[in-house]
């Protein structure tokens, strides 16, 4: 080809290439720790009238709400390792939150692949995976659980302390700073804004302390559950509001440090005066827990609003996919509990909302079975980057486009490992489809080494009636046992 022809061709192709490049969408993934779907207005339910999440609701109104999004191990560090690797806990090896299992940062993670495929990557907030982050152009993370007030952050360069500041605000401010001032404006980006809130001990920002003060929060119907049909695990857990929730550190109404704390001293004094007992005390604990939890959510929701506003102001809103999700669900008094870990719906499920202008139908709802193993592949798919064969999820892009494939998964595998450990939830694995759930508790402190539960979610959505031994359920139990075996093989479960 003659030189002048070649120059003409290059001159013609270059702008096209630039356009193609520009079209790659940005991804902003806002995440929180222990945010229950029950406390997101868009998900409806008994707490909706409290209007706890106006900005997240707006995101849902502009995007897609996933009603059947689940995790594979309902606990923080394993869930995050799954999100980064697209693999189940037994393969990424971070089985629990303890030091006994270690996350090897050298392993394959979606952000490394995004980065080698032209994306800029940033991670700000809680990650709960000790060690140096890899695959991020910018990262600033909390050490371990982090602190609500005066938080420390770790970066590539060292530690920073944010004295006098509130963690949710710092994470938002650092994210906005990267988004507005630090990133390379010529590259598509993936920004992870991962909040600590509303994790225990539910310590809100000062400006939200009085929210819900004179409001009675509705209790769930099964608040006073006696676990009559359930196996040992439900009876022996240590996550019930009545006895495991602490009046000092959790509810800040006892203990010297709260007696003089301007935010809590009134509560402290009233609690001492009221001298509550029995059911009255348990009900007060629930009210106090829920209010502090919801107050923490207000800051997270505010963060969502601020990020959406910044995207709009920068003209990025049309080409940016915004995702809101959490590391697992949480009990808001259902079964009398707080915390997570169990394969029962409230902690097995997790919120997931995706806004993708021009692609996702505004206000749509998806009810396909989606799991946290799907995130990594979805991000790679959105970025048009290669998806490694050893990732175990499926991209949800077809679901976002309203074209669920016929062979989409019909059942999900679950496995929880942290026992003995905090909250004393026995080890268990299980399988669930849209209607049935089979759970096998096993190992230490499980009578005879194994106990089973089986639920018909259509007839018993609150999982109050374990029908594992009912003859009417025998056929379905057998089918689900076969399914469990099949999934163990499919996912190469070796534990
Ligand atoms: C802490 C909490 C637990 C919580 C774990 C794991 N106790 O240990 O209630 O289950 O974190 O949470 S606390 O009194 O120290 O707050 S996770 O989200 O990191 O998995
Ligand atoms: Ca968590």
């Amino acid at each position: 080809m003659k030189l002048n022809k070649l120059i003409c061709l290059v001159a013609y192709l270059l702008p096209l290439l630039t356009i193609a490049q520009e079209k790659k969408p940005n991804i902003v993934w806002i995440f929180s720790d222990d945010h229950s779907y029950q406390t997101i207005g868009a998900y409806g339910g008994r707490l909706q009238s409290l209007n706890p999440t106006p900005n997240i609701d707006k995101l849902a109104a502009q995007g897609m709400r996933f009603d059947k999004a689940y995790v594979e191990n309902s606990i923080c560090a394993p869930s995050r390792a799954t999100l980064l690797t697209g693999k189940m806990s037994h393969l990424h090896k971070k089985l629990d939150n303890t030091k006994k299992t270690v996350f090897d940062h050298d392993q394959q993670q979606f952000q490394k692949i995004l980065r080698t495929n032209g994306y800029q990557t940033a991670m700000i907030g809680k990650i709960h995976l000790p060690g140096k982050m890899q695959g991020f152009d910018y990262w600033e993370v909390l050490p371990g659980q982090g602190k609500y007030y005066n938080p420390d952050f770790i970066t590539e360069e060292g530690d920073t302390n944010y004295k006098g500041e509130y963690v949710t605000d710092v994470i938002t401010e650092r994210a906005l700073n990267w988004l507005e001032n630090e990133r390379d404006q010529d590259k598509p980006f993936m920004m992870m804004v991962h909040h600590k809130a509303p994790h225990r001990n539910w310590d809100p920002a000062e400006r939200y302390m009085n929210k819900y003060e004179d409001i009675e929060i509705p209790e769930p119907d099964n608040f006073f559950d006696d676990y009559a049909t359930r196996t040992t695990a439900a009876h022996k857990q240590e996550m019930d509001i009545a006895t495991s929730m602490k009046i000092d550190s959790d509810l800040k109404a006892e203990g010297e440090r709260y007696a003089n704390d301007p935010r809590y001293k009134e509560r402290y004094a009233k609690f001492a005066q009221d001298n509550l007992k029995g059911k009255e005390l348990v009900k007060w604990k629930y009210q106090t827990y829920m209010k502090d939890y919801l107050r923490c959510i207000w800051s997270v929701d505010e963060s969502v609003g601020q990020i959406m506003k910044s995207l709009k102001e920068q003209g990025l809103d049309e080409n940016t996919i915004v995702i809101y999700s959490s590391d697992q669900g949480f009990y808001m008094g259902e079964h009398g509990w707080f915390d997570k870990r169990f394969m029962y719906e409230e902690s097995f499920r997790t919120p997931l909302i995706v806004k993708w202008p021009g692609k996702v139908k505004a206000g749509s709802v998806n009810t396909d079975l989606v799991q946290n193993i799907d995130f990594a592949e979805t991000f790679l798919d959105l970025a048009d980057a290669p998806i490694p064969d050893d990732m175990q999820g499926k991209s949800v892009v077809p679901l976002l486009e309203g074209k669920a494939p016929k062979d989409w998964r019909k059942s999900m595998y679950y496995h929880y490992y942290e026992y003995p450990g905090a909250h004393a939830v026995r080890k268990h694995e299980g399988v669930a489809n849209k209607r049935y759930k089979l759970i096998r508790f096993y190992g230490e402190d499980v009578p005879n080494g194994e106990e089973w539960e089986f639920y018909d979610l259509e007839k018993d959505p609150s999982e109050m009636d374990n029908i594992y031994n009912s003859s009417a359920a025998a056929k379905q139990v057998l089918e689900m046992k076969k399914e469990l075996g099949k999934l163990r093989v499919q996912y190469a479960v070796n534990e």
Side-chain angles (χ1 to χ4, degrees):
M1 195 184 292
K2 291 233 173 73
L3 189 64
N4 59 348
K5 272 201 175 165
L6 186 70
I7 291 169
C8 282
L9 188 69
V10 170
Y12 172 76
L13 284 175
L14 253 181
L16 289 182
L17 282 174
T18 321
I19 289 168
Q21 187 110 55
E22 272 171 11
K23 282 218 170 113
K24 286 221 172 182
N26 307 306
I27 306 168
V28 172
W29 179 18
I30 311 172
F31 194 75
S32 51
D33 193 354
D34 295 355
H35 193 178
S36 54
Y37 56 84
Q38 306 93 301
T39 50
I40 293 180
Y43 275 100
R46 78 176 198 278
L47 303 169
Q48 192 179 28
S49 64
L50 302 169
N51 185 32
T53 52
N55 288 300
I56 300 173
D57 297 353
K58 206 158 144 193
L59 200 66
Q62 296 170 342
M64 181 177 277
R65 186 188 85 212
F66 286 83
D67 277 4
K68 292 197 179 292
Y70 292 83
V71 296
E72 66 84 40
N73 183 2
S74 180
I75 183 88
C76 197
S79 170
R80 288 157 201 269
T82 292
L83 291 161
L84 297 182
T85 61
K87 292 177 185 168
M88 294 203 170
S89 300
H90 60 280
L91 293 188
H92 62 57
K93 303 245 178 358
K94 188 66 190 143
L95 297 179
D96 53 31
N97 275 352
T98 73
K99 290 203 176 86
K100 283 183 276 172
T101 62
V102 177
F103 182 73
D104 176 5
H105 287 267
D106 288 342
Q107 67 186 297
Q108 172 183 279
Q109 296 168 57
F110 81 80
Q111 75 277 9
K112 297 185 186 182
I113 305 170
L114 279 188
R115 203 173 174 207
T116 51
N117 281 274
Y119 267 71
Q120 236 181 134
T121 53
M123 159 71 212
I124 298 130
K126 181 177 172 182
I127 190 72
H128 205 172
L129 297 169
K132 273 198 167 188
M133 303 302 298
Q134 291 184 23
F136 292 105
D137 293 287
Y138 180 78
W139 58 273
E140 180 159 13
V141 301
L142 295 169
Q145 298 284 7
K147 290 186 294 183
Y148 272 108
Y149 281 89
N150 308 308
D152 295 311
F153 282 77
I154 313 169
T155 65
E156 194 82 55
E157 283 80 40
D159 298 1
T160 316
N161 176 261
Y162 290 87
K163 201 169 161 37
E165 296 196 51
Y166 184 65
V167 70
T168 309
D169 297 340
V170 178
I171 292 170
T172 308
E173 186 271 315
R174 298 309 296 152
L176 290 176
N177 182 54
W178 187 81
L179 189 65
E180 292 168 5
N181 310 316
E182 303 284 329
R183 78 189 157 85
D184 176 349
Q185 308 265 341
D186 299 327
K187 278 186 173 177
F189 63 86
M190 149 57 108
M191 179 175 77
M192 295 160 58
V193 187
H194 286 203
H195 287 291
K196 167 190 169 60
H199 191 274
R200 194 181 185 191
N201 69 341
W202 317 295
D203 207 358
E206 214 163 313
R207 61 187 179 280
Y208 291 119
M209 278 310 287
N210 294 324
K211 224 159 176 106
Y212 304 117
E213 195 54 38
D214 301 316
I215 283 174
E216 178 88 9
I217 311 283
E219 285 170 8
D221 293 342
N222 57 359
F223 186 49
F224 291 102
D225 188 354
D226 61 4
Y227 319 118
T229 66
R230 264 54 57 74
T231 62
T232 310
H235 291 265
K236 297 284 186 184
Q237 46 63 38
E238 292 168 10
M239 49 188 263
D240 61 314
I241 292 173
T243 58
S244 304
M245 186 176 274
K246 296 177 181 149
I247 294 170
D248 50 4
S249 54
D250 287 331
L251 303 173
K252 307 116 190 152
E254 273 178 353
E256 218 173 307
R257 57 190 270 226
Y258 298 112
N260 300 312
D261 183 325
R263 291 184 309 132
Y264 293 111
K265 64 182 186 193
E266 253 178 64
R267 179 190 296 184
Y268 181 98
K270 188 166 185 318
F271 181 75
Q273 194 185 8
D274 288 354
N275 194 26
L276 302 169
K277 297 266 182 292
K279 272 198 173 177
E280 246 195 335
L281 175 61
V282 183
K283 282 169 172 279
W284 173 86
K285 287 176 90 175
Y286 169 77
Q287 290 296 323
T288 309
Y289 155 54
M290 289 297 293
K291 287 178 188 180
D292 280 348
Y293 182 100
L294 287 162
R295 289 165 183 151
C296 289
I297 299 293
W298 272 90
S299 290
V300 173
D301 188 76
E302 198 181 11
S303 173
V304 173
Q306 284 173 309
I307 291 165
M308 301 299 284
K309 183 165 167 267
S310 172
L311 289 173
K312 200 170 175 72
E313 282 168 1
Q314 294 184 74
L316 294 170
D317 55 328
E318 286 303 315
N319 195 33
T320 301
I321 298 159
V322 182
I323 300 169
Y324 185 80
S325 66
S326 184
D327 60 344
Q328 14 59 214
F330 213 70
Y331 295 93
M332 304 276 92
E334 298 86 358
H335 304 287
W337 295 340
F338 64 103
D339 214 66
K340 51 258 178 179
R341 301 162 192 268
F342 277 107
M343 198 195 168
Y344 304 128
E345 287 297 284
E346 291 81 2
S347 46
F348 181 26
R349 247 181 91 182
T350 192
L352 174 60
I353 293 167
V354 183
K355 180 195 172 206
W356 187 7
K359 290 279 191 173
V360 163
K361 193 164 163 260
S364 53
V365 177
N366 178 283
T367 57
D368 294 304
L369 298 176
V370 163
Q371 226 176 345
N372 59 348
I373 46 171
D374 299 332
F375 278 63
E377 291 186 41
T378 303
F379 294 141
L380 295 173
D381 198 7
L382 289 171
D384 208 13
I387 299 174
D389 287 343
D390 61 351
M391 285 190 171
Q392 296 184 301
K394 280 178 172 222
S395 162
V396 306
V397 168
L399 310 188
L400 291 168
E401 290 172 334
K403 299 176 213 148
K406 283 220 165 59
D407 64 348
W408 189 259
R409 76 166 66 80
K410 302 281 186 298
S411 64
M412 296 171 295
Y413 180 72
Y414 180 86
H415 204 144
Y416 172 80
Y417 301 89
E418 195 178 303
Y419 187 87
H423 301 293
V425 175
R426 269 59 173 168
K427 289 185 182 183
H428 58 290
E429 64 170 346
V431 56
N433 60 28
K434 283 190 182 179
R435 171 129 190 217
Y436 299 110
K437 187 184 291 179
L438 177 74
I439 312 177
R440 181 179 81 95
F441 293 94
Y442 70 93
E444 205 175 330
D445 293 334
V446 175
N448 307 315
E450 189 173 89
E451 282 187 323
W452 294 83
E453 293 184 0
F454 186 75
Y455 297 95
D456 181 340
L457 295 166
E458 207 173 280
K459 292 191 184 139
D460 177 27
S462 306
E463 295 159 299
M464 299 295 285
D465 196 11
N466 165 26
I467 51 168
Y468 179 75
N469 290 317
S470 113
S471 51
K475 191 170 157 267
Q476 282 88 21
V477 168
L478 197 66
E479 270 170 26
M480 289 300 270
K481 278 195 176 172
K482 274 194 207 146
E483 190 65 17
L484 180 61
K486 208 180 97 192
L487 292 183
R488 282 185 61 92
V489 173
Q490 180 185 328
Y491 293 118
V493 183
N494 48 17
E495 299 285 338

